[in-house]
Every structure is written in structure tokens, then in C-alpha cells.
Amino acid sequence: MKNVGIISVGCYLPKRVLTNFDLEKMVDTSDEWITTRTGIKERRIANKDERNSALAVHAAKDALKRAHLDPAKVELIVVATISPDSNFPSVSCLVQKALGAKKAAAFDIGAACSGFLYALTTAKQYVQNGLYKNALVIASEKITNLVDWADRNTCVLFGDGAGACVLAPVAGNRGIIADYLHAQGEFGELMEVVVDNSVEPLTQEKHKVHKPYLVMQGKELFKVAVNSMADAVEIAVQKAKLKLSDIDCVVPHQANDRIISAVAWKLNIPKEKIFVNIDKYGNMSAASIAVALYEAIEQKKIKRGNNVVLVTFGAGLVSAANVVRW
Ligand code: UT7
């Protein structure tokens, strides 16, 4: 079996910044509440005409450029998203068209905030078994489209963005050395976007009154999140035949800085080893880890030979972790 690694990363963040002070003018909230309860100071919001697929294309181009990979040579495109431009065509097909990646197979994965790691693990199998020579994995979200801007419980938490990476065989003992994917459907009601068109067709009349907003039971989700992320790290590290003390850097999903701190405390991992950028972007769902990984590399928090853990949880509930030897 080939070792498969992340040979480049890319990123795109919309220009528009929405600060906590801006939100103070929109709902009954305060910078102090948002900062102390979540760690978020600001987030990016895509413009109305800036579609999810456009964010994905920017991040993809960045990753391909850094990998010196011609789009015409890309063999597989997997996009993790829960906020696609439309039900179909998939975002991955829109990206394939925009890149001119004519040779590539393309599909989307919907695993909410765990989407990037689900996509990474899925795409890795295809490269590992030799079906494809490389894969472009993108996590892209225009999640703020699903947010009710009058609901202070949720609107302060989310932001838009995209991250991408290129997977290819790597030499030596490097690469993605352990994978763990998990699902707990019994907790599905803790975070939902309900569209009841599976029961009754969505008529034009219903469409006018019904906006499929994101609803969340934050407190309950918090507890499950801490336990699932801590379990996922332990299992993935064990699968990699490593100890927690061998881990140089953890890149977690950025939903709440208090969740990240609780996971660090539970696993007895020093917070300095954990990469956090939630203050700048909030929760970008699937894109959070992809963007955090990009920034951790840029800031040299991840160096050649390091053992890196990527870990996440999200609506579903789904959790996942990967160990990557850089
Ligand atoms: O990617 C996965 C998705 N999401 C998550 O992982 C989220 C997990 N949960 C959380 O991060 C936290 O539970 C929240 C940040 C969502 C909420 O923090 P909390 O410490 O659990 O607060 P709470 O829900 O217990 O609310 C405490 C109070 C309530 O007021 P009362 O009932 O005590 O009077 C809320 O109404 O804070 C109030 N509150 C706010 N106040 C000011 C809720 N949102 C806000 C707000 N500004 N934006």
C-alpha cells in the first residue's frame, strides 16, 4: 500500500469582516459575551453574489499552484460542504468546470463540520489503492446563508471560508498514517437545518414562509463535542501506534475555544500544542480545519517530521480524526 500525504494546502477567505461590535448593532449581544463564551472576535461573510463554489475554486487554485499541479492532471475532486450553491450540480462539478479539470471524477461529501476529514479519508483510499494518482480535497462553506440573523444563539458563531489540499503518494514513513470516522445519529436533533420537502414537496407558498435556518441546542452539543473529540484523538493516536506525548500539533475544529480547551484538559495536552484561529473566523463548518491547517503551516507551527492530529465533530453527529506525519 502506498503512503498518501498532503503535498500542498490552499485557502480562501471572503474579504468582508463582521466584528462582534457589528453584531452588537444587529442583535442583543456584546463583544464581551461572544469573546468570553466562544473566543470569537470576528468572522468573514461572503458577498451575496459570491457563491460557495467560487470560494472553493479560489482555495483549490491556491493548493494546485503550491503543488505545481496542472488542473488538467487532477484525477479526483472531493468537496466537503453542507452549504452548496444548489442541490445539484454538486460543488465539486462546478469546481471541475471552473478549473478545467476535465480528467477528474468529482463528488461532494456532506458531513457538516467533520466534512473535511471525511473527505480527506475518503479521497486518501482512492490514491492509496492506485485508482487515482492524486486528489484535490476542498472544504468550502457559505454557512452564513443558513443562519437566522435575528437569532443571537447562533448568528454570532458562524463564518464563511474555504480550504483545500492536494493528496498524492509520498515517500518514507510520512503521510496520513491513521484515520478514524465515527457517527452518533442519536444526537442528530442537537443541530439541524430542517427542510421538510422530503415529506411534502416544497411549494412556492411554503418557500415564502419557510426559511431553512440552522437551529442548535448549544449546551447539550458542547458536552458531546468535548467527549467525541477527546475520544477521536485517543483512538486515532492509538491506531497510529503513537502516544499522546508524541503529538507535536493538534488542529481541532474551531467551534468554541472553550470546547478546544476542555479537550486539551481532558487529554492533558498543553494548549500551546493546539492550533486556534477561531478569534478571526468563527465556525466555518467543514472549512474550519482546512483553513486552520493552512495557517498552522504558514505560521510554522507544523514542520517536516511532526506528528499532527486533525480532529473534529459536527452535526449528525459525526466526529473524525486523522494522524498525519508531516
Ligand atoms: O460546529 C458544531 C456546532 N456548534 C457547537 O459546537 C456549539 C457548542 N456550544 C457552544 O459553543 C455554546 O453552548 C454556546 C456558545 C452556543 C453557548 O454558550 P453557553 O455558555 O452554553 O451559553 P447558554 O446557551 O447556556 O446561554 C447562557 C445565556 C442565556 O441566557 P439566560 O437564559 O441564562 O438568561 C442565553 O440566552 O446566554 C444567553 N445568550 C447570549 N447572550 C448574549 C445566548 N447567546 C447569546 C449572545 N449574546 N449571542
Side-chain angles (χ1 to χ4, degrees):
M1 289 277 250
K2 296 180 177 83
N3 271 7
V4 176
I6 297 171
I7 63 160
S8 78
V9 289
C11 166
Y12 178 76
L13 293 151
K15 303 283 167 285
R16 189 174 147 216
V17 175
L18 186 76
T19 66
N20 292 350
F21 298 105
D22 296 327
L23 280 161
E24 283 181 358
K25 294 176 203 129
M26 296 161 63
V27 285
D28 180 16
T29 191
S30 65
D31 171 57
E32 199 267 335
W33 191 96
I34 304 171
T35 306
T36 52
R37 300 291 179 114
T38 70
I40 303 166
K41 296 296 285 183
E42 57 187 44
R43 69 287 292 142
R44 301 297 178 94
I45 312 285
N47 287 331
K48 215 170 171 193
D49 56 358
E50 202 173 19
R51 308 183 93 197
N52 179 326
S53 58
L55 312 185
V57 168
H58 282 302
K61 283 185 176 167
D62 189 19
L64 289 175
K65 196 169 155 204
R66 288 163 196 265
H68 307 290
L69 182 62
D70 181 343
K73 295 204 167 124
V74 173
E75 300 201 352
L76 173 67
I77 301 172
V78 184
V79 175
T81 191
I82 47 161
S83 51
D85 298 14
S86 55
N87 283 358
F88 49 84
S90 64
V91 175
S92 53
C93 281
L94 296 169
V95 170
Q96 188 233 17
K97 178 183 164 196
L99 294 177
K102 287 194 184 270
K103 198 172 154 189
F107 61 89
D108 288 2
I109 282 189
C113 304
S114 295
F116 182 59
L117 300 194
Y118 263 68
L120 198 67
T121 301
T122 304
K124 177 193 134 180
Q125 315 301 317
Y126 289 103
V127 180
Q128 195 159 45
N129 69 24
L131 187 62
Y132 300 122
K133 289 194 187 69
N134 58 53
L136 173 62
V137 177
I138 306 163
S140 184
E141 300 282 18
K142 190 172 175 178
I143 187 99
T144 61
N145 253 7
L146 302 176
V147 165
D148 178 356
W149 288 100
D151 176 13
R152 70 173 184 175
N153 291 294
T154 52
C155 76
V156 302
L157 302 175
F158 296 94
D160 301 325
C165 68
V166 174
L167 301 187
V170 288
N173 64 355
R174 293 170 52 218
I176 304 168
I177 57 172
D179 321 283
Y180 172 69
L181 304 180
H182 187 56
Q184 294 163 281
E186 67 272 26
F187 294 119
E189 286 177 7
L190 295 185
M191 189 170 167
E192 298 178 297
V193 176
V194 179
V195 189
D196 64 355
N197 55 353
S198 62
V199 183
E200 277 177 73
L202 192 61
T203 59
Q204 285 206 344
E205 217 32 58
K206 263 169 76 184
H207 208 281
K208 277 186 209 142
V209 291
H210 178 82
K211 177 91 168 76
Y213 291 131
L214 185 156
V215 287
M216 190 179 81
Q217 297 175 42
K219 236 184 187 21
E220 289 69 23
L221 200 53
F222 192 109
K223 289 176 220 150
V224 192
V226 173
N227 292 331
S228 331
M229 292 229 285
D231 289 350
V233 172
E234 283 191 312
I235 295 167
V237 168
Q238 223 169 46
K239 282 181 152 203
K241 301 191 172 46
L242 295 173
K243 297 190 291 298
L244 285 174
S245 54
D246 297 324
I247 301 306
D248 301 293
C249 182
V250 179
V251 182
H253 174 49
Q254 314 276 317
N256 187 324
D257 192 39
R258 288 189 297 136
I259 294 180
I260 297 171
S261 297
V263 173
W265 181 82
K266 209 162 178 233
L267 295 171
N268 199 19
I269 296 178
K271 189 90 190 276
E272 310 81 74
K273 282 192 178 184
I274 303 193
F275 189 79
V276 180
N277 64 358
I278 191 172
D279 53 320
K280 293 187 289 180
Y281 309 122
N283 181 348
M284 296 183 286
S285 183
S288 271
I289 293 200
V291 172
L293 178 63
Y294 173 93
E295 292 202 337
I297 295 165
E298 286 284 293
Q299 294 172 24
K300 308 219 176 334
K301 305 272 184 204
I302 296 176
K303 300 182 204 84
R304 182 59 81 88
N306 278 177
N307 292 315
V308 179
V309 174
L310 312 176
V311 60
T312 185
F313 77 98
L317 291 185
V318 276
S319 51
N322 294 86
V323 181
V324 188
R325 184 164 301 125
W326 214 258

